[in-house]
Amino acid sequence: MTHIPPPTEELRLLDWELRQLDTRRAQLLARRAWLVATLHPVRPQPAAPPRAEAAAPRVQNVLLLLGGILLTLAATAFTLVSWRHLGVSGRALVLGAVTAAVLAAPAVLLKRGLRSTAESVAGLGLALTVLDAYALHDVAFAGADGLRFAAASAAVLAGVWAAYGFLPRLREMRLPLPAALAAAQLPLLLWAVAVDAGGYTITAALLATAGFDTVVALRATARSVRLVAVGGAYGLGGWGVLTAGWLSLTATGPSAAARAAALLLLAAALALGAAWQTPGEKHASGLAVATGLLVVAALGGALRPVLPDMWTVPVHLACGIALLAAAGVSRLPEAVRRGIARASAAVQALAVLWALPVVAVALLGPASLAGHVWSGSPGSARDAVTVELSWPPDAATASVVLAAVAGVLALTVRESTWRPRALDASLILAWAGVLVLPATLELPYTATLLIQGIVTATLLLLRRTTATVLALLTSLSLAFLALASEPATLATLASLTVLFAVGVRRPLPAAASLTYATALAVAVGAALDLRPEHTALCVLVVTAAAALLAVYVEEKTTTAVEVTGTVTGLVAVGLAMGEPPMLALVLALGGVIAAGTAIRPDRRAAGYVAAALFVLATWVRLESWDVATPEAYTLPVTVPALIVGALRRQRAPQTSSWTAYAPGLAATLVPSLVAVWAGQHGPRPLLLGAAALLIILLGARHHLQAPLLLGGSVLVLDTLHELAPYLVEMTTALPRWVPPALAGLLLLALGATYERRIRDVRRVREVLGRMN
């Protein structure tokens, strides 16, 4: 009969046959590939030609440039070295012939289509004209002033090069006209320096040249000419503006200031004309910004010498605000009007930055009184804010500046997107102006307290986020300011508590009210000469009030109130730290407050805080009684915890023993075990071992994991502590070869275990392979 294997065996045989076929197929494919390579060898591909690293036009330009430079150097050497060996007629003949030939050559080259060569030769010709001017000075004008001759030569060369570039056959070249424009930058400046003109004349020359460049930049069509013109306009114009600004800043009289202002207005006119004619909106707007700033600098600088120093910034601010009228002129292009408006905004921003140090002193200065509590009322508001800070000079008009900018923001910004932000900024600036006003006017101390209190109340009535934050900042400054006098401190803190309590349904006022109530409690304790631990009881009243308030406010305010109440409770604990019995009372009262909070369904977690506070109160009380046994601290925690755990398992049998019993057991077992290992002998190790054994038996009886493991761990560690001396003696009695032998046995056992694990892994892999 034919043998039919079982399915498993047959499947294994089929898999083996398929693997054999795959192996044979791989061998045949490898042999075929070798045969194909032998019969059809791969022919080497021809190498690609090397890539050209420089294009032909670039090589041409480099060669022409080098040739022009070499010829120019040769002509220079001839003029400087060999010139004096020729006579006057020879000099004129050589100079005229070479220059005329070189300048005429570009026309012939352009006719033959050699434009790049023509440009190089033209550059050589222009260089020769400069050498001609030098030679002319050396021969005919040797006694002339060098700077004046240079100015005249620059003007003549600029005209000659411009005429040469406009010749009918040479208009195609790109070099003569930019070179002529570059030479035109020098005549006025060199002439002004040559005649020993003052700074005003030199600045006027710079600005006039920049104006000429501006006209050329706006009218020229060639790109190379426009680039040179723009560079000259910005370079010389910027140089002239900086010089005019310095002259305006250092002017000591009205006449000098007026001349500097005229120069700045000239620069502003040039910038405005360029902005009006510039097609690009971005460049036009930037030039308009420069125009507005120059006008403000000119007008403000002209008035500066005739006004006191404290009015310098307000005058410039007034000029900046006046720019808004020009920004509203409809005849101006939109980009220009936008730029002028931005210039006005920049001036106003700079004015506000100037006033910020005054605001900082008025706001932060009262904090210095924290080191001089109840030392006596200062003579004025400025004395109160400058206890450790100095009042900035010429700051009498800071309030005017802040109020002016606030009014501009409130009246001019009408766009719906920016209107709310402008109103907030206006409110902040107005608040800052009022804040610095008492110190600026040196008002009496009591009047300053009243003003800041009124400001705080007014801001709170606005019920806006920005106003509320400003009210809080004002109240902090007011609270520090009131520390100088005991009656002022008590009255101010009570008033602030009531003021912020009006808005107690919002998070920030609620937290502020509780904070000031806490400060009031501390101040009352200090005024009544109470000890800090007794003052802590007054502070706890605020904590209890916060817990009650949290029930009646909205959820977003509840968190702020509870956090503030918690911080207040920590303050009370800190005040009572010096007296343990009173600290225990404070902790217990805090536990009562936390337990009351835990009655609310959404605040059950506060019960854990209450339990912790009660435990801490008990421990502090025992410490005050000089109780040194840790079980006296831990057993009052363990027993209630175990009872609570047992009740919880009765109500919810699925509760883990680790959740129900582990905290209570660990509260006593761990401190007792630490005390045992700390060296305490006597009956404690025996009692601890007996308790651990009892816990183990109970855990085994009721099949509870936590008591079983905790009790077993404590029993083992307790036993090791008791047997430690005997183990040490036994270790010293062993021969020296025993530890190495034990280590070797351990390593052999580990190796055998490792080998067995590898064998098991291999078996699993084989089984999985057969399952495939």
Side-chain angles (χ1 to χ4, degrees), residues 266-294:
L266 174 60
L270 294 176
L272 180 60
W276 203 314
Q277 299 295 327
T278 300
E281 181 177 353
K282 182 178 180 180
H283 292 86
S285 180
L287 290 170
V289 171
T291 300
L293 295 178
L294 289 172

Side-chain angles (χ1 to χ4, degrees), residues 9-293:
E9 183 66 20
E10 184 178 4
L11 180 61
R12 188 184 65 79
L13 292 174
L14 290 177
D15 290 340
W16 183 81
E17 291 290 346
L18 290 173
R19 285 195 296 271
Q20 294 296 325
L21 290 174
D22 290 339
T23 303
R24 183 58 179 166
R25 176 180 174 81
Q27 294 175 354
L28 293 175
L29 289 175
R31 181 63 180 175
R32 181 183 182 278
W34 181 83
L35 291 173
V36 170
T38 302
L39 295 175
H40 303 284
V42 180
R43 297 180 180 178
Q45 298 293 330
R51 182 177 62 87
E53 295 184 357
R58 181 174 297 179
V59 174
Q60 164 194 301
N61 294 334
V62 171
L63 293 176
L64 292 174
L65 178 62
L66 291 176
I69 292 174
L70 291 176
L71 289 174
T72 303
L73 292 176
T76 304
F78 170 79
T79 304
L80 296 177
V81 177
S82 301
W83 180 258
R84 300 183 184 277
H85 297 290
L86 300 175
V88 176
S89 58
R91 298 175 186 178
L93 180 63
V94 171
L95 183 63
V98 173
T99 304
V102 172
L103 291 177
V108 179
L109 295 173
L110 287 174
K111 186 176 181 180
R112 295 186 178 184
L114 302 176
R115 179 170 180 173
S116 298
T117 306
E119 292 282 358
S120 299
V121 175
L124 175 61
L126 298 181
L128 286 176
T129 57
V130 178
L131 294 176
D132 293 344
Y134 170 78
L136 185 63
H137 177 269
D138 191 33
V139 173
F141 300 99
D145 181 69
L147 283 177
R148 295 188 181 186
F149 184 82
S153 299
V156 172
L157 288 176
V160 171
W161 292 352
Y164 180 71
F166 280 113
L167 290 176
R169 294 184 179 181
L170 301 178
R171 290 180 179 177
E172 300 179 7
M173 290 194 300
R174 291 171 292 185
L175 182 60
L177 292 181
L181 184 59
Q185 310 300 310
L186 300 175
L188 286 179
L189 179 61
L190 293 177
W191 173 81
V193 176
V195 299
D196 294 330
Y200 295 95
T201 305
I202 294 176
T203 305
L206 290 172
L207 294 177
T209 307
F212 170 72
D213 292 332
T214 303
V215 174
V216 174
L218 294 174
R219 300 299 180 187
T221 57
R223 184 172 182 271
S224 57
V225 176
R226 287 204 310 270
L227 289 177
V228 175
V230 169
Y234 278 110
L236 296 180
W239 186 4
V241 166
L242 292 177
T243 307
W246 175 255
L247 293 173
S248 176
L249 186 63
T250 57
T252 57
S255 176
R259 285 182 288 168
L263 293 174
L264 290 173
L265 290 177
L266 174 60
L270 294 176
L272 180 60
W276 203 314
Q277 299 295 327
T278 300
E281 181 177 353
K282 182 178 180 180
H283 292 86
S285 180
L287 290 170
V289 171
T291 300
L293 295 178

